[in-house]
Every structure is written in structure tokens, then in C-alpha cells.
Amino acid sequence: MLAAVRQQFIVDEVNRIGAVKVDELTRVLSVSDMTVRRDLDALARRGLLSKVYGGAVALGRSSTDEPGFERKSARAQIEKEAIGTVASELVEPGGAIAITAGTTTWTVARYLVNIPNLTIVTNSIRILQVLQEHDRTDLTVILTGGVRTPSDAFVGPLAVAAIRSLHVDLVIMGVHGLDLEAGLTTPNLLEAETNRAFVASAKRLVVVADHTKFGVVGLGQIAPLSSVDTLITDDRIDRQARDALSQAVPGLVLAPVEEHHAEEEHHAEHMP
């Protein structure tokens, strides 16, 4: 395959899903790791993408770009479903938990609807809607106020004040970026402040982030990786990143993407 064709494919993928990984490109393009890295270097010099640890992201995504909910929900859908299944298994009946806004956490919320006697605090309109679809008398949902973001989150002083008055067993948090040095980040400074309040309110911090989030750095830091008790990502993350994260956080859980996908297909085939 000609270099120009490879590089156009890479640019198209970055623009379509927001990020690409070196190991995935070597598999899809059937070229060496070195060839992919040279292509990424060339594209970065031309200003067509931004290189990050283990891959590349769309320009702007590394600092202040904040996509809307619909755009973000189209990314890494299978990975998010696998993560949602695993994350829901950490929630005990009768618990009080917090769920931050985001498309990954929205997916997790869909797997919580069958867990009895829950109290859930959230700053997400979308998560509230998911939980309200089920007529349950044993489910209490507390929605914070605040300023609405492009991803349908409530942030700012009102949200922070509400969160600081509460104490929960754990917080399930989605992030824009996950980096060894920068930690957990978001492009929205008010959201960073709001999420820091969530971290302070919880006994345990569980972060849910698919493999494309690794190496991405947003403008505002939420917390360092040392604050994370459990990180749930998918098993498509490359080995180098996996090894680095296993050293940085106490609990690293890899959600099996292909296994989850196979179960979904089996279920769909046997539906009446």
C-alpha cells in the first residue's frame, strides 16, 4: 500500500473516531510498527493530527475540544458496552453511588437498572433519563443543578455545592483523557472542578475509559492517577499502555471486548 493511501486512511480514522492506536493500525494496514510511526510523524508535521502516547488524536482533542454527547457516543461503542458490564458488577445492592456525566458512564447506568435499592447521585441529564425509564420504587436519583455543558452535564458552583454535601460509597467517573503524567483530565474547567468534588465525596474512585482515552490530555486536571482505586478499560489497549497503567493504579480491570460482542450476537440470534 502506498504511503499516501495509508496516511489518508489514518487521517480519515482520526477524524471519524477521534483517535487511533499504533498497534491497531499495524494490524489493519498490515505494516510494521515503525512504518505507522513514520506515517504519524509525517501527518503531525503537516498539522493533520496530534501525536500522543501510543497513537494519535484529532487536532484540538488534546486540550480544549469538547464534543457533544451524540458525537462522543458514536466512538468505541463495543468497548463501552464491555466496560459497562464489568463496572456494574462493582455496584452492591443497597449502595449509594455517584455517576459523572459522559457516554461511557451513560452506558454503565444502563447496566445498573436491575440492581435493587440504589441511591444514585449524578450531574448527567442523560443518565437521569436512562434511570427514569424504569418504574422502580427502590431507586432514588439525585440530580445536581448547575450550568449545562455540550455533553449534557451540570457543572459549576451549584453542582459542586450539592456534591460536597453528600457522601457516597463509590463514584463511577468517565474522563476525556487519561495520561500517566497529567492524570485524569477534561477540556472543560468547570467540569474538572465538579468532578474533583465527586472524587472528594466518595470512599472509592472507579474510572471507566476505553483504550482510545489513553494518552489524551485535556485542559483541566481532575485528579492524578494515584487517586484512582479501580480503572476499567477494554482489552484492546496496547500492552505497553497496559503495563504502564498496572503500575500506576492499584486495580486495573480489562473488559473483554470480543467476549462481550459474541454474547451480544448470540443473544440477538436467539431472540424471538
Side-chain angles (χ1 to χ4, degrees):
M1 183 183 293
L2 295 175
V5 177
R6 284 197 314 271
Q7 292 174 12
Q8 185 60 56
F9 174 84
I10 293 171
V11 171
D12 290 343
E13 285 297 285
V14 167
N15 291 333
R16 183 175 69 86
I17 61 176
V20 291
K21 290 293 184 181
V22 170
D23 62 333
E24 292 179 353
L25 291 173
T26 58
R27 176 177 54 83
V28 173
L29 298 173
S30 299
V31 294
S32 68
D33 177 279
M34 188 63 68
T35 297
V36 169
R37 293 184 187 279
R38 283 198 298 265
D39 285 340
L40 294 181
D41 286 337
L43 293 170
R45 287 195 299 270
R46 292 164 57 190
L48 297 175
L49 50 74
S50 177
K51 285 190 66 181
V52 296
Y53 183 92
V57 297
L59 288 176
R61 190 168 177 247
S62 60
S63 56
T64 59
D65 178 49
E66 184 177 9
F69 186 91
E70 301 301 337
R71 179 179 160 194
K72 289 198 294 184
S73 64
R75 298 172 177 168
Q77 291 176 329
I78 299 175
E79 290 87 344
K80 290 174 183 176
E81 292 289 339
I83 290 169
T85 301
V86 173
S88 67
E89 296 172 354
L90 301 180
V91 179
E92 298 287 342
I97 69 170
I99 310 178
T100 69
T103 55
T104 308
T105 48
W106 173 79
T107 303
V108 174
R110 290 167 42 219
Y111 287 92
L112 299 180
V113 295
N114 293 321
I115 300 176
N117 301 313
L118 285 182
T119 298
I120 298 177
V121 182
T122 186
N123 65 327
S124 168
I125 300 170
R126 301 281 185 148
I127 289 174
L128 173 67
Q129 290 171 340
V130 167
L131 297 172
Q132 283 186 327
E133 289 176 359
H134 300 265
D135 187 17
R136 285 180 48 186
T137 58
D138 65 334
L139 175 64
T140 300
V141 183
I142 301 170
L143 180 67
T144 72
V147 179
R148 188 172 179 174
T149 72
S151 57
D152 290 338
F154 283 135
V155 300
L158 287 176
V160 169
I163 295 163
R164 284 178 176 169
S165 69
L166 303 170
H167 301 280
V168 295
D169 300 315
L170 64 85
V171 56
I172 300 175
M173 180 172 292
V175 295
H176 171 83
L178 183 75
D179 183 78
L180 292 175
E181 296 298 327
L184 314 176
T185 60
T186 171
N188 189 308
L189 293 179
L190 288 178
E191 187 164 29
E193 180 185 17
T194 302
N195 282 355
R196 285 195 292 271
F198 272 120
V199 173
S201 74
K203 298 176 183 176
R204 182 181 179 190
L205 173 58
V206 177
V207 174
V208 289
D210 69 79
H211 70 279
T212 67
K213 302 293 182 66
F214 186 67
V216 177
V217 179
L219 181 63
Q221 185 191 57
I222 301 165
L225 283 183
S226 58
S227 298
V228 179
D229 296 293
T230 303
L231 169 62
I232 306 174
T233 188
D234 59 89
D235 60 0
R236 290 180 173 174
I237 192 167
D238 67 67
R239 180 162 295 279
Q240 189 177 7
R242 182 185 309 180
D243 293 342
L245 288 171
S246 67
Q247 297 296 317
V249 299
L252 176 64
V253 181
L254 301 179
V257 175
E258 295 305 326
E259 179 180 319
H260 176 83
H261 187 50
E263 289 178 357
E264 290 290 304
E265 289 185 337
H266 177 78
H267 177 71
E269 289 174 356
H270 290 80
M271 288 185 65

